Amino acid sequence: PSHDGLIHAERIRQFHLAIIDGQIPPRLAPTYAEGIGFPMFVVNYQLPYYLAEILMLVFGNPFVALKGVLSASYLASAVFAFLLFRNYGSHLASFVGALIFSYLPYRFANIYTRAALGESVALMFIPLVLFSLHQISKQSRSGVVLLAISTFGLITSHTVIFFLFLPFFVAYVLVFL
């Protein structure tokens, strides 16, 4: 039980039905409004639903897809946080920092209480954006590509989170780099 779990599971199902109907990219939730359709995916973030679609094609269960995307984004955020912290400390300090980032109460509230799919996926990209900015400062060519991919992932996961963290990204570049 969660605040948005049932809503996201239904949206995952509607996204899956739209893909099967040939809507690429999906725009209408095909069975809403008594079968007429509802343009839900025009304004809703889409990357989390594309990730869930992979699991829907394999398992066919929207709840498994929801839990799978939440779990994968949680684990990937810990890995990306470790990579970021590795630039500033030892392996042990980076591991502890990644654990602290992973076990923040806000993260658990996002996953277990709220089941905030878009926010959870977006939080995965925050340390990756910072890591890619650090790679760019070290003159790494892969840093630019990584920054483009991570920014794309952040914007398409949850645009509001991107705009909330944008001043922090600018401050990170100015202060730390």
Side-chain angles (χ1 to χ4, degrees):
S2 62
H3 296 172
D4 295 340
L6 292 175
I7 294 167
H8 285 301
E10 178 57 24
R11 287 180 182 173
I12 288 169
R13 189 178 76 80
Q14 291 293 321
F15 195 87
H16 178 68
L17 291 174
I19 292 280
I20 288 177
D21 285 345
Q23 286 187 54
I24 298 177
R27 297 293 180 220
L28 291 175
T31 62
Y32 280 2
E34 298 179 15
I36 296 171
F38 183 77
M40 175 185 303
F41 301 113
V42 172
V43 294
N44 202 5
Y45 44 79
Q46 293 203 357
L47 182 63
Y49 296 113
Y50 277 110
L51 297 175
E53 178 62 21
I54 296 168
L55 296 173
M56 279 295 289
L57 291 172
V58 174
F59 298 106
N61 186 334
F63 293 103
V64 170
L66 174 64
K67 291 176 183 181
V69 172
L70 287 173
S71 301
S73 67
Y74 179 76
L75 294 173
S77 69
V79 171
F80 297 151
F82 175 80
L83 292 174
L84 171 65
F85 298 147
R86 185 64 192 105
N87 292 314
Y88 297 104
S90 66
H91 287 290
L92 180 62
S94 302
F95 181 73
V96 171
L99 280 178
I100 290 171
F101 178 74
S102 298
Y103 284 101
L104 289 173
Y106 178 72
R107 298 297 309 275
F108 284 125
N110 252 354
I111 293 173
Y112 294 111
T113 303
R114 294 177 54 219
L117 181 64
E119 258 182 77
S120 296
V121 173
L123 287 175
M124 168 181 74
F125 290 108
I126 301 293
L128 192 58
V129 168
L130 296 173
F131 175 72
S132 63
L133 288 170
H134 191 79
Q135 292 300 106
I136 290 172
S137 74
K138 292 179 6 182
Q139 306 295 330
S140 172
R141 292 183 187 194
S142 63
V144 175
V145 174
L146 193 58
L147 179 63
I149 291 170
S150 59
T151 304
F152 169 80
L154 182 56
I155 291 172
T156 57
S157 296
H158 204 287
T159 310
V160 174
I161 296 293
F162 169 73
F163 284 115
L164 284 173
F165 276 90
L166 189 58
F168 178 73
F169 295 147
V170 172
Y172 181 80
V173 168
L174 295 175
V175 173
F176 289 106
L177 303 180

